[in-house]
Amino acid sequence: MTKLSVKCGMLGTLSGLLLVGCAGVTPASTQTTAESRIAAQVGVRPFYLVDDMAASELKRQLEQCSTGPFYRSNFVISHRGAPLQFPEHTKEGYLAGARMGAGTLECDVTFTKDKALVCRHSQCDLANTTDILLHSDIAMQCSQPFTPANSKTGAPAAAVCCTSDITLAQFKQLKGKMDGFNPKAQTAEEYVQGTPSWRTDLYAQTGTLMTLQDSIVLFKKLGVKQSPELKKPMVPMPFDGMTQQDYAQKLVDAYRVAGIPTQQLLPQSFNLDDLLYWLKQDPDFGKQAIFLDEGTNSPDFDPMQPRTWKWTMAELKRQGVTTIAPAMWMLVTLNDAKKIVPSRYAIEAKKAGLKIIAWSFERSGPLANGGGWYYQTISNAINHDGDMMVLLDVLAKQVGVSAIFADWPGTVTYYANCMGL
Protein backbone atom coordinates (compact mmCIF):
# COMPACT_ATOMS: atom_id res chain seq x y z
CA MET A 1 0.00 0.00 0.00
CA THR A 2 1.50 3.33 -1.07
CA LYS A 3 1.89 5.77 1.82
CA LEU A 4 0.14 9.08 1.17
CA SER A 5 0.59 12.51 2.63
CA VAL A 6 -3.00 13.69 2.74
CA LYS A 7 -4.57 17.11 3.22
CA CYS A 8 -8.35 17.15 3.59
CA GLY A 9 -11.09 19.74 3.84
CA MET A 10 -14.80 19.34 4.60
CA LEU A 11 -17.05 19.83 1.56
CA GLY A 12 -20.42 19.31 3.25
CA THR A 13 -22.76 16.63 4.57
CA LEU A 14 -25.42 14.33 3.16
CA SER A 15 -27.79 12.42 5.46
CA GLY A 16 -25.25 12.60 8.23
CA LEU A 17 -22.33 11.54 6.01
CA LEU A 18 -19.26 13.72 5.92
CA LEU A 19 -17.98 14.58 2.43
CA VAL A 20 -14.27 15.21 2.47
CA GLY A 21 -12.07 16.50 -0.34
CA CYS A 22 -8.56 15.06 -0.09
CA ALA A 23 -5.48 16.03 -2.03
CA GLY A 24 -2.98 13.19 -1.79
CA VAL A 25 0.72 13.85 -2.38
CA THR A 26 2.20 10.66 -3.83
CA PRO A 27 5.54 9.76 -5.38
CA ALA A 28 5.94 11.05 -8.93
CA SER A 29 5.42 7.59 -10.41
CA THR A 30 1.93 7.34 -8.86
CA GLN A 31 0.86 11.01 -8.89
CA THR A 32 -2.90 11.46 -9.37
CA THR A 33 -5.28 14.40 -9.35
CA ALA A 34 -7.13 15.30 -6.15
CA GLU A 35 -10.38 13.39 -5.58
CA SER A 36 -13.34 13.68 -3.29
CA ARG A 37 -13.96 10.78 -0.95
CA ILE A 38 -16.67 10.05 1.59
CA ALA A 39 -15.38 9.81 5.14
CA ALA A 40 -16.40 6.66 7.04
CA GLN A 41 -17.02 6.16 10.74
CA VAL A 42 -15.89 2.61 11.55
CA GLY A 43 -16.71 2.70 15.27
CA VAL A 44 -15.07 0.64 17.99
CA ARG A 45 -15.73 -2.90 16.75
CA PRO A 46 -12.77 -3.21 14.35
CA PHE A 47 -10.45 -2.20 17.17
CA TYR A 48 -11.96 -4.86 19.45
CA LEU A 49 -11.37 -7.53 16.80
CA VAL A 50 -7.80 -6.42 16.08
CA ASP A 51 -7.02 -6.33 19.81
CA ASP A 52 -8.39 -9.88 20.09
CA MET A 53 -6.08 -11.26 17.40
CA ALA A 54 -3.15 -13.50 18.27
CA ALA A 55 0.23 -11.82 17.83
CA SER A 56 1.17 -11.80 14.13
CA GLU A 57 2.45 -9.60 11.33
CA LEU A 58 -1.15 -9.08 10.21
CA LYS A 59 -2.14 -7.82 13.65
CA ARG A 60 0.82 -5.44 13.69
CA GLN A 61 -0.11 -4.13 10.26
CA LEU A 62 -3.76 -3.59 11.22
CA GLU A 63 -2.78 -1.85 14.46
CA GLN A 64 -0.74 0.67 12.49
CA CYS A 65 -3.94 1.80 10.72
CA SER A 66 -5.76 2.63 13.95
CA THR A 67 -5.58 6.41 13.50
CA GLY A 68 -7.23 6.31 10.06
CA PRO A 69 -8.49 8.24 8.20
CA PHE A 70 -11.20 5.89 6.90
CA TYR A 71 -13.21 6.27 3.70
CA ARG A 72 -15.99 4.55 1.80
CA SER A 73 -14.80 1.49 -0.11
CA ASN A 74 -16.33 -0.51 -2.97
CA PHE A 75 -14.77 -3.58 -1.34
CA VAL A 76 -17.56 -3.37 1.25
CA ILE A 77 -21.16 -4.44 0.51
CA SER A 78 -23.64 -3.67 3.28
CA HIS A 79 -25.50 -6.97 3.79
CA ARG A 80 -29.17 -6.21 4.59
CA GLY A 81 -28.02 -2.84 6.01
CA ALA A 82 -26.19 -3.30 9.32
CA PRO A 83 -28.09 -6.21 10.94
CA LEU A 84 -25.54 -6.97 13.62
CA GLN A 85 -27.19 -4.12 15.55
CA PHE A 86 -29.94 -2.58 13.37
CA PRO A 87 -33.14 -4.22 12.08
CA GLU A 88 -32.35 -5.54 8.61
CA HIS A 89 -33.57 -3.86 5.44
CA THR A 90 -34.63 -0.71 7.26
CA LYS A 91 -33.76 2.88 6.48
CA GLU A 92 -31.88 3.13 9.77
CA GLY A 93 -29.78 0.06 8.96
CA TYR A 94 -28.99 1.30 5.47
CA LEU A 95 -27.85 4.67 6.77
CA ALA A 96 -25.65 2.91 9.33
CA GLY A 97 -24.09 0.78 6.59
CA ALA A 98 -23.36 3.84 4.46
CA ARG A 99 -21.89 5.75 7.41
CA MET A 100 -19.59 2.81 8.09
CA GLY A 101 -18.16 3.04 4.59
CA ALA A 102 -20.05 0.50 2.48
CA GLY A 103 -19.68 1.37 -1.20
CA THR A 104 -22.69 -0.81 -2.05
CA LEU A 105 -26.01 -1.29 -0.25
CA GLU A 106 -28.27 -4.32 -0.72
CA CYS A 107 -32.05 -4.62 -1.02
CA ASP A 108 -33.29 -8.22 -1.03
CA VAL A 109 -36.35 -8.01 -3.26
CA THR A 110 -39.66 -9.83 -2.87
CA PHE A 111 -43.30 -8.92 -3.59
CA THR A 112 -46.54 -8.14 -1.79
CA LYS A 113 -50.06 -9.45 -2.43
CA ASP A 114 -50.57 -6.62 -4.94
CA LYS A 115 -47.19 -7.42 -6.56
CA ALA A 116 -45.30 -4.36 -5.27
CA LEU A 117 -41.54 -4.95 -4.84
CA VAL A 118 -40.25 -4.53 -1.28
CA CYS A 119 -37.01 -5.11 0.65
CA ARG A 120 -37.10 -8.32 2.74
CA HIS A 121 -34.56 -11.10 3.06
CA SER A 122 -37.26 -13.74 2.64
CA GLN A 123 -40.78 -13.48 1.35
CA CYS A 124 -42.05 -15.21 4.49
CA ASP A 125 -39.89 -13.76 7.29
CA LEU A 126 -42.24 -11.02 8.50
CA ALA A 127 -43.07 -12.78 11.78
CA ASN A 128 -39.37 -12.82 12.70
CA THR A 129 -38.19 -9.48 11.28
CA THR A 130 -41.16 -7.14 11.80
CA ASP A 131 -43.88 -6.41 14.35
CA ILE A 132 -46.64 -7.84 12.14
CA LEU A 133 -47.94 -10.10 14.93
CA LEU A 134 -48.66 -7.01 17.01
CA HIS A 135 -51.01 -5.74 14.29
CA SER A 136 -53.90 -8.11 14.95
CA ASP A 137 -55.90 -7.01 11.91
CA ILE A 138 -52.97 -7.66 9.54
CA ALA A 139 -51.68 -10.75 11.38
CA MET A 140 -55.01 -12.47 10.66
CA GLN A 141 -53.86 -12.72 7.02
CA CYS A 142 -50.63 -14.60 7.79
CA SER A 143 -50.14 -17.94 6.03
CA GLN A 144 -49.70 -19.50 9.46
CA PRO A 145 -51.08 -17.33 12.26
CA PHE A 146 -49.31 -17.35 15.60
CA THR A 147 -49.58 -20.54 17.65
CA PRO A 148 -48.15 -20.66 21.18
CA ALA A 149 -45.56 -23.18 22.36
CA ASN A 150 -47.05 -26.47 23.55
CA SER A 151 -45.34 -27.73 26.68
CA LYS A 152 -47.04 -31.14 26.40
CA THR A 153 -45.87 -31.96 22.86
CA GLY A 154 -42.72 -29.85 22.89
CA ALA A 155 -43.81 -27.98 19.78
CA PRO A 156 -42.28 -24.47 19.70
CA ALA A 157 -44.24 -21.28 19.13
CA ALA A 158 -44.62 -20.61 15.42
CA ALA A 159 -45.90 -18.15 12.84
CA VAL A 160 -45.39 -17.70 9.10
CA CYS A 161 -46.21 -14.31 7.65
CA CYS A 162 -45.35 -13.54 4.01
CA THR A 163 -45.20 -10.27 2.12
CA SER A 164 -47.50 -11.95 -0.40
CA ASP A 165 -50.11 -12.31 2.37
CA ILE A 166 -50.55 -8.55 2.64
CA THR A 167 -50.83 -5.45 0.48
CA LEU A 168 -48.24 -2.73 0.05
CA ALA A 169 -50.37 -0.39 2.18
CA GLN A 170 -50.38 -2.93 5.00
CA PHE A 171 -46.64 -3.57 4.61
CA LYS A 172 -46.00 0.12 5.17
CA GLN A 173 -47.78 -0.04 8.53
CA LEU A 174 -45.19 -2.47 9.92
CA LYS A 175 -41.97 -1.74 11.78
CA GLY A 176 -38.75 -3.68 11.38
CA LYS A 177 -37.27 -5.49 14.37
CA MET A 178 -34.15 -7.57 14.96
CA ASP A 179 -34.33 -10.99 13.29
CA GLY A 180 -35.37 -13.60 15.86
CA PHE A 181 -38.24 -15.10 17.83
CA ASN A 182 -38.96 -16.68 21.19
CA PRO A 183 -39.76 -20.40 20.65
CA LYS A 184 -41.25 -20.64 24.16
CA ALA A 185 -43.73 -17.81 23.61
CA GLN A 186 -47.30 -18.10 24.78
CA THR A 187 -48.35 -14.76 23.28
CA ALA A 188 -47.57 -12.77 20.16
CA GLU A 189 -45.92 -10.14 22.36
CA GLU A 190 -43.56 -12.78 23.77
CA TYR A 191 -42.87 -14.24 20.33
CA VAL A 192 -41.39 -11.04 18.91
CA GLN A 193 -39.00 -10.74 21.89
CA GLY A 194 -36.48 -13.21 20.53
CA THR A 195 -33.37 -11.21 19.63
CA PRO A 196 -30.18 -13.32 19.99
CA SER A 197 -28.08 -12.23 22.97
CA TRP A 198 -25.16 -11.18 20.74
CA ARG A 199 -27.32 -8.67 18.85
CA THR A 200 -29.19 -5.76 20.42
CA ASP A 201 -32.60 -4.11 20.48
CA LEU A 202 -31.03 -0.76 21.28
CA TYR A 203 -31.55 0.56 17.74
CA ALA A 204 -34.81 -1.25 16.99
CA GLN A 205 -37.17 1.49 18.15
CA THR A 206 -37.94 2.84 14.68
CA GLY A 207 -37.31 0.17 12.05
CA THR A 208 -38.56 1.97 8.93
CA LEU A 209 -39.39 -0.65 6.29
CA MET A 210 -38.40 0.00 2.69
CA THR A 211 -39.90 -0.69 -0.71
CA LEU A 212 -37.54 -1.29 -3.62
CA GLN A 213 -38.38 2.20 -4.87
CA ASP A 214 -37.58 3.68 -1.45
CA SER A 215 -34.19 1.97 -1.53
CA ILE A 216 -33.43 3.20 -5.05
CA VAL A 217 -34.11 6.80 -4.04
CA LEU A 218 -32.13 6.56 -0.78
CA PHE A 219 -29.14 4.75 -2.28
CA LYS A 220 -28.95 7.21 -5.16
CA LYS A 221 -28.97 10.11 -2.69
CA LEU A 222 -26.19 8.45 -0.70
CA GLY A 223 -24.12 7.96 -3.86
CA VAL A 224 -23.59 4.22 -3.37
CA LYS A 225 -23.88 1.30 -5.75
CA GLN A 226 -27.10 -0.69 -5.55
CA SER A 227 -27.30 -4.47 -5.19
CA PRO A 228 -30.83 -5.86 -5.43
CA GLU A 229 -31.23 -9.60 -4.87
CA LEU A 230 -34.23 -11.22 -6.56
CA LYS A 231 -35.41 -13.56 -3.80
CA LYS A 232 -36.86 -16.98 -4.50
CA PRO A 233 -40.66 -16.82 -4.27
CA MET A 234 -42.12 -18.83 -1.39
CA VAL A 235 -45.45 -19.10 -3.20
CA PRO A 236 -46.26 -21.01 -6.40
CA MET A 237 -45.45 -19.16 -9.60
CA PRO A 238 -47.13 -17.73 -11.59
CA PHE A 239 -48.51 -15.61 -8.76
CA ASP A 240 -51.79 -13.92 -9.74
CA GLY A 241 -50.63 -14.06 -13.36
CA MET A 242 -47.03 -12.94 -12.64
CA THR A 243 -44.47 -15.44 -13.94
CA GLN A 244 -40.89 -15.78 -12.70
CA GLN A 245 -39.71 -13.95 -15.81
CA ASP A 246 -42.24 -11.17 -15.21
CA TYR A 247 -40.86 -10.89 -11.68
CA ALA A 248 -37.27 -10.73 -12.95
CA GLN A 249 -38.27 -8.09 -15.50
CA LYS A 250 -40.03 -5.95 -12.89
CA LEU A 251 -36.68 -5.66 -11.12
CA VAL A 252 -34.92 -4.48 -14.28
CA ASP A 253 -37.71 -2.04 -15.09
CA ALA A 254 -37.54 -0.40 -11.66
CA TYR A 255 -33.91 0.59 -12.22
CA ARG A 256 -34.37 1.55 -15.86
CA VAL A 257 -37.29 3.86 -15.01
CA ALA A 258 -35.26 5.38 -12.17
CA GLY A 259 -32.37 6.05 -14.57
CA ILE A 260 -29.76 4.25 -12.47
CA PRO A 261 -26.63 3.67 -14.60
CA THR A 262 -25.85 0.00 -15.21
CA GLN A 263 -22.36 0.37 -13.74
CA GLN A 264 -23.97 1.37 -10.44
CA LEU A 265 -25.86 -1.94 -10.23
CA LEU A 266 -24.90 -5.36 -8.88
CA PRO A 267 -28.09 -7.45 -9.22
CA GLN A 268 -28.08 -10.89 -7.58
CA SER A 269 -29.92 -14.20 -7.61
CA PHE A 270 -29.48 -17.78 -6.39
CA ASN A 271 -31.49 -18.81 -9.45
CA LEU A 272 -29.25 -19.21 -12.50
CA ASP A 273 -32.28 -18.92 -14.77
CA ASP A 274 -32.79 -15.35 -13.52
CA LEU A 275 -29.27 -14.44 -14.64
CA LEU A 276 -29.75 -16.16 -18.00
CA TYR A 277 -33.00 -14.22 -18.50
CA TRP A 278 -31.29 -10.92 -17.73
CA LEU A 279 -28.37 -11.76 -20.02
CA LYS A 280 -30.78 -12.43 -22.87
CA GLN A 281 -33.23 -9.56 -22.33
CA ASP A 282 -30.84 -6.86 -21.08
CA PRO A 283 -27.21 -7.98 -21.57
CA ASP A 284 -25.67 -4.95 -19.85
CA PHE A 285 -27.79 -5.60 -16.75
CA GLY A 286 -27.05 -9.32 -16.90
CA LYS A 287 -23.30 -8.86 -17.16
CA GLN A 288 -23.38 -6.95 -13.87
CA ALA A 289 -25.29 -9.75 -12.13
CA ILE A 290 -23.94 -11.90 -9.31
CA PHE A 291 -24.70 -15.63 -9.20
CA LEU A 292 -25.17 -16.60 -5.56
CA ASP A 293 -24.19 -20.10 -4.43
CA GLU A 294 -24.80 -21.58 -0.99
CA GLY A 295 -23.32 -25.00 -1.70
CA THR A 296 -26.58 -26.90 -1.37
CA ASN A 297 -26.88 -27.96 -4.99
CA SER A 298 -25.79 -31.45 -4.01
CA PRO A 299 -26.34 -33.27 -0.70
CA ASP A 300 -22.65 -34.18 -0.58
CA PHE A 301 -21.33 -30.76 -1.70
CA ASP A 302 -17.65 -30.36 -0.90
CA PRO A 303 -15.69 -27.24 -1.98
CA MET A 304 -12.64 -29.45 -2.43
CA GLN A 305 -14.40 -31.96 -4.73
CA PRO A 306 -15.57 -30.58 -8.12
CA ARG A 307 -17.57 -33.76 -8.78
CA THR A 308 -20.02 -32.64 -6.06
CA TRP A 309 -20.73 -29.28 -7.71
CA LYS A 310 -23.83 -28.81 -9.85
CA TRP A 311 -21.90 -26.72 -12.39
CA THR A 312 -18.26 -26.41 -13.29
CA MET A 313 -16.85 -22.90 -13.22
CA ALA A 314 -16.11 -23.12 -16.93
CA GLU A 315 -19.78 -23.96 -17.62
CA LEU A 316 -20.95 -20.92 -15.66
CA LYS A 317 -18.49 -18.72 -17.54
CA ARG A 318 -19.67 -20.06 -20.91
CA GLN A 319 -23.26 -19.21 -20.02
CA GLY A 320 -22.30 -15.59 -19.42
CA VAL A 321 -21.89 -15.49 -15.65
CA THR A 322 -19.23 -12.93 -14.73
CA THR A 323 -19.34 -13.00 -10.92
CA ILE A 324 -19.95 -15.82 -8.46
CA ALA A 325 -20.74 -15.28 -4.80
CA PRO A 326 -20.50 -18.29 -2.47
CA ALA A 327 -20.65 -18.41 1.32
CA MET A 328 -17.29 -17.73 2.97
CA TRP A 329 -16.75 -21.34 4.05
CA MET A 330 -16.86 -22.52 0.44
CA LEU A 331 -13.83 -20.43 -0.46
CA VAL A 332 -11.41 -21.68 2.20
CA THR A 333 -9.99 -24.81 3.77
CA LEU A 334 -7.17 -25.74 6.15
CA ASN A 335 -3.77 -27.02 5.04
CA ASP A 336 -1.75 -29.59 6.95
CA ALA A 337 -0.44 -26.87 9.25
CA LYS A 338 -4.02 -25.79 10.03
CA LYS A 339 -3.54 -22.51 8.20
CA ILE A 340 -6.46 -21.03 6.26
CA VAL A 341 -5.91 -21.30 2.49
CA PRO A 342 -8.08 -21.07 -0.66
CA SER A 343 -10.31 -24.04 -1.43
CA ARG A 344 -10.43 -25.88 -4.75
CA TYR A 345 -13.73 -24.07 -5.39
CA ALA A 346 -11.98 -20.69 -5.09
CA ILE A 347 -9.04 -21.79 -7.24
CA GLU A 348 -11.28 -23.10 -10.02
CA ALA A 349 -13.46 -19.96 -10.01
CA LYS A 350 -10.40 -17.78 -10.38
CA LYS A 351 -8.97 -20.04 -13.10
CA ALA A 352 -12.22 -19.70 -15.07
CA GLY A 353 -11.95 -15.91 -14.95
CA LEU A 354 -14.90 -15.36 -12.63
CA LYS A 355 -14.95 -12.48 -10.17
CA ILE A 356 -15.59 -13.69 -6.63
CA ILE A 357 -17.62 -12.00 -3.89
CA ALA A 358 -18.01 -13.61 -0.44
CA TRP A 359 -20.87 -13.58 2.08
CA SER A 360 -21.52 -12.80 4.87
CA PHE A 361 -18.93 -11.35 7.22
CA GLU A 362 -20.01 -11.01 10.87
CA ARG A 363 -23.22 -12.95 10.27
CA SER A 364 -22.22 -15.34 13.06
CA GLY A 365 -22.12 -14.59 16.75
CA PRO A 366 -18.98 -15.01 18.91
CA LEU A 367 -16.52 -17.52 17.44
CA ALA A 368 -15.40 -19.29 20.63
CA ASN A 369 -16.96 -22.58 19.50
CA GLY A 370 -15.72 -22.68 15.92
CA GLY A 371 -17.91 -20.02 14.33
CA GLY A 372 -20.84 -22.13 13.15
CA TRP A 373 -22.13 -22.50 9.57
CA TYR A 374 -20.09 -19.69 8.00
CA TYR A 375 -16.81 -21.17 9.27
CA GLN A 376 -17.54 -24.88 8.90
CA THR A 377 -14.53 -25.73 6.71
CA ILE A 378 -12.06 -24.01 9.05
CA SER A 379 -13.69 -24.54 12.46
CA ASN A 380 -10.65 -26.38 13.80
CA ALA A 381 -8.63 -23.16 13.44
CA ILE A 382 -11.25 -20.82 14.93
CA ASN A 383 -11.41 -20.16 18.67
CA HIS A 384 -11.81 -16.41 19.24
CA ASP A 385 -13.32 -13.35 17.56
CA GLY A 386 -10.02 -11.95 16.32
CA ASP A 387 -9.84 -14.88 13.90
CA MET A 388 -12.42 -13.05 11.80
CA MET A 389 -9.68 -10.72 10.64
CA VAL A 390 -7.44 -13.64 9.67
CA LEU A 391 -10.18 -15.08 7.48
CA LEU A 392 -10.86 -11.66 5.98
CA ASP A 393 -7.19 -11.31 5.08
CA VAL A 394 -7.11 -14.71 3.36
CA LEU A 395 -10.28 -13.92 1.39
CA ALA A 396 -8.83 -10.61 0.23
CA LYS A 397 -5.22 -11.55 -0.49
CA GLN A 398 -5.20 -15.26 -1.32
CA VAL A 399 -8.68 -15.95 -2.67
CA GLY A 400 -8.78 -12.51 -4.29
CA VAL A 401 -12.42 -11.59 -3.67
CA SER A 402 -13.48 -8.29 -5.20
CA ALA A 403 -15.92 -7.48 -2.39
CA ILE A 404 -17.47 -8.89 0.78
CA PHE A 405 -21.01 -8.70 2.11
CA ALA A 406 -20.85 -7.60 5.74
CA ASP A 407 -23.39 -7.44 8.56
CA TRP A 408 -21.24 -4.76 10.23
CA PRO A 409 -19.60 -2.83 7.37
CA GLY A 410 -17.28 -0.79 9.59
CA THR A 411 -15.08 -3.81 10.24
CA VAL A 412 -14.44 -4.51 6.56
CA THR A 413 -14.06 -0.77 5.87
CA TYR A 414 -11.25 -0.64 8.44
CA TYR A 415 -9.49 -3.58 6.77
CA ALA A 416 -10.07 -2.28 3.24
CA ASN A 417 -8.63 1.13 4.02
CA CYS A 418 -5.67 -0.38 5.82
CA MET A 419 -4.87 -2.61 2.84
CA GLY A 420 -5.60 -0.01 0.16
CA LEU A 421 -8.64 -1.79 -1.24
Side-chain angles (χ1 to χ4, degrees):
M1 178 179 175
T2 304
K3 297 294 184 180
L4 302 180
S5 173
V6 182
K7 295 183 178 180
C8 302
M10 188 173 74
L11 300 179
T13 60
L14 175 61
S15 297
L17 298 175
L18 180 65
L19 280 68
V20 179
C22 298
V25 180
T26 68
S29 61
T30 58
Q31 190 76 41
T32 61
T33 59
E35 63 176 355
S36 295
R37 295 189 287 176
I38 304 291
Q41 304 161 19
V42 298
V44 299
R45 182 157 177 79
F47 300 92
Y48 161 76
L49 294 176
V50 173
D51 289 344
D52 193 51
M53 293 175 68
S56 65
E57 175 59 25
L58 175 61
K59 179 175 183 176
R60 186 194 66 79
Q61 187 176 5
L62 291 172
E63 286 175 331
Q64 290 183 340
C65 299
S66 62
T67 58
F70 301 106
Y71 301 99
R72 177 180 291 173
S73 171
N74 286 329
F75 187 73
V76 188
I77 303 177
S78 178
H79 180 241
R80 311 189 201 180
L84 186 64
Q85 293 193 35
F86 288 81
E88 63 186 47
H89 292 306
T90 61
K91 180 180 180 179
E92 294 77 15
Y94 288 141
L95 289 173
R99 286 170 178 141
M100 285 190 281
T104 303
L105 298 182
E106 175 193 50
C107 168
D108 289 332
V109 180
T110 187
F111 53 85
T112 62
K113 187 175 183 178
D114 44 357
K115 293 180 280 190
L117 300 184
V118 296
C119 300
R120 286 289 93 200
H121 177 252
S122 169
Q123 187 169 35
C124 295
D125 71 3
L126 294 181
N128 294 359
T129 64
T130 75
D131 65 348
I132 188 171
L133 295 182
L134 304 184
H135 297 257
S136 57
D137 55 333
I138 303 177
M140 292 171 56
Q141 299 173 218
C142 289
S143 295
Q144 180 185 334
F146 170 74
T147 55
N150 189 318
S151 59
K152 292 183 180 180
T153 65
V160 177
C161 302
C162 306
T163 57
S164 51
D165 293 334
I166 63 176
T167 66
L168 175 61
Q170 291 171 321
F171 177 84
K172 289 184 174 181
Q173 295 179 46
L174 309 181
K175 183 180 78 172
K177 74 176 191 68
M178 296 303 287
D179 186 9
F181 72 99
N182 178 4
K184 298 180 180 180
Q186 292 298 310
T187 67
E189 288 76 13
E190 291 176 349
Y191 185 92
V192 301
Q193 300 299 320
T195 301
S197 60
W198 45 274
R199 290 182 178 149
T200 178
D201 289 313
L202 189 61
Y203 305 110
Q205 307 311 303
T206 307
T208 307
L209 298 192
M210 303 286 284
T211 66
L212 174 61
Q213 183 59 34
D214 291 336
S215 77
I216 291 173
V217 173
L218 177 63
F219 298 174
K220 182 178 181 180
K221 185 179 296 184
L222 293 171
V224 296
K225 292 185 178 181
Q226 309 200 26
S227 188
E229 179 189 337
L230 195 71
K231 299 302 295 188
K232 179 181 178 180
M234 305 297 287
V235 294
M237 299 293 277
F239 176 81
D240 190 24
M242 181 175 68
T243 67
Q244 181 67 28
Q245 291 187 339
D246 292 336
Y247 176 37
Q249 187 62 48
K250 279 175 71 74
L251 182 69
V252 177
D253 292 344
Y255 288 94
R256 294 306 185 212
V257 170
I260 306 300
T262 303
Q263 61 270 26
Q264 289 295 107
L265 296 173
L266 293 173
Q268 320 164 48
S269 180
F270 280 100
N271 182 0
L272 181 59
D273 286 341
D274 291 337
L275 272 75
L276 298 180
Y277 174 82
W278 291 331
L279 284 164
K280 181 179 180 180
Q281 299 298 324
D282 193 325
D284 289 340
F285 188 93
K287 289 175 184 177
Q288 291 289 107
I290 301 168
F291 177 49
L292 301 165
D293 188 3
E294 58 185 338
T296 56
N297 296 317
S298 170
D300 61 345
F301 177 87
D302 183 340
M304 298 300 291
Q305 300 292 335
R307 62 178 175 76
T308 68
W309 309 347
K310 187 171 182 179
W311 304 276
T312 68
M313 300 300 171
E315 286 172 338
L316 292 174
K317 184 70 174 180
R318 280 196 298 271
Q319 293 184 80
V321 174
T322 61
T323 305
I324 192 166
M328 295 188 301
W329 65 269
M330 297 165 63
L331 293 169
V332 290
T333 189
L334 297 177
N335 64 15
D336 292 339
K338 289 192 175 182
K339 298 293 184 182
I340 304 173
V341 295
S343 67
R344 178 75 179 276
Y345 182 103
I347 293 170
E348 292 298 324
K350 198 169 184 178
K351 185 185 299 184
L354 293 170
K355 291 182 180 179
I356 306 172
I357 295 176
W359 51 270
S360 295
F361 198 70
E362 299 211 67
R363 187 67 190 162
S364 301
L367 304 191
N369 297 314
W373 190 84
Y374 285 92
Y375 296 81
Q376 58 188 280
T377 50
I378 57 172
S379 58
N380 289 339
I382 298 295
N383 54 41
H384 57 289
D385 289 350
D387 291 331
M388 293 182 194
M389 305 306 290
V390 179
L391 173 59
L392 180 56
D393 191 61
V394 172
L395 290 171
K397 294 179 181 176
Q398 297 185 45
V399 174
V401 299
S402 59
I404 294 179
F405 287 91
D407 275 29
W408 198 243
T411 300
V412 182
T413 298
Y414 182 105
Y415 176 88
N417 277 257
C418 193
M419 300 301 173
L421 300 175

